Amino acid sequence: NAEYGEFQTFQHYFIQINLRKRVALLEMSSSNSHTILLVQPSHKPTSRTYCDYETLTEALEGVCKIYEEHLKELNPSSLSITYDISQLFDFIDDLNDMVCLVFSREQRSYEPKDKEWIKEKIYALLRKQAGK
């Protein structure tokens, strides 16, 4: 599909420009874990979106918040929403695509991390939070 190819090219170009700017800014700061979360809930290219976080922890918490918002949409009359980690992981698996781009100071670039990596990091984060 020519339109899809043009969109991908534009999106790739746009992301490259923004990443170059971000790399330059991050080299001046002490933070090396700036994270961009890319999400594509469905097969439709128009469902693509991204979120920008200053730290990896914020990005992982952002994934949980995305799921919580999804649950609120499914249960608008519920006063409280509860879920377990397996339900969160099923939600992540059901997304068409999800990737974290995590800034590496050593590499001076963003490293892509897949769903399995994201789930491992969420598990570790939630365990750490539960232990507090």
Side-chain angles (χ1 to χ4, degrees), residues 59-69 83 88 122 126:
L60 298 173
E61 290 171 348
V63 172
C64 296
K65 286 181 178 140
I66 290 169
Y67 180 57
E68 290 163 8
E69 289 301 318
Y83 61 92
L88 171 62
I122 288 173
L126 295 178

Side-chain angles (χ1 to χ4, degrees), residues 8 15 20 27 32 34 38 45-46 48 50 92 119:
Q8 271 190 316
I15 289 174
R20 278 192 218 124
E27 286 174 355
N32 67 350
H34 176 262
L38 305 175
T46 55
R48 292 177 181 156
Y50 74 94
I92 292 170
K119 291 189 299 186

Side-chain angles (χ1 to χ4, degrees), residues 66-132:
I66 290 169
Y67 180 57
E68 290 163 8
E69 289 301 318
H70 172 73
L71 290 176
K72 286 178 188 177
E73 288 175 15
L74 293 176
N75 306 290
S77 60
S78 293
L79 297 176
S80 66
I81 302 286
T82 59
Y83 61 92
D84 65 42
I85 197 164
S86 67
Q87 293 168 309
L88 171 62
F89 287 176
D90 288 344
F91 172 77
I92 292 170
D93 289 337
D94 289 343
L95 295 171
N96 189 60
D97 200 9
M98 176 182 273
V99 175
C100 277
L101 300 175
V102 182
F103 185 74
S104 167
R105 191 171 183 82
E106 298 79 31
Q107 300 292 327
R108 295 183 48 187
S109 65
Y110 285 84
E111 297 177 353
K113 306 295 184 181
D114 65 7
K115 289 180 185 181
E116 291 304 313
W117 184 91
I118 294 168
K119 291 189 299 186
E120 288 172 14
K121 295 298 180 186
I122 288 173
Y123 179 77
L125 175 67
L126 295 178
R127 264 189 87 156
K128 182 178 175 184
Q129 288 177 347
K132 286 185 177 181

Side-chain angles (χ1 to χ4, degrees), residues 3-19 37-40 44-50:
E3 184 177 312
Y4 177 70
E6 290 171 12
F7 176 76
Q8 271 190 316
T9 302
F10 173 77
Q11 185 181 28
H12 178 72
Y13 178 72
F14 177 76
I15 289 174
Q16 273 191 320
I17 290 172
N18 284 329
L19 289 180
L37 177 65
L38 305 175
V39 181
Q40 184 174 348
K44 295 179 183 179
T46 55
S47 73
R48 292 177 181 156
T49 190
Y50 74 94

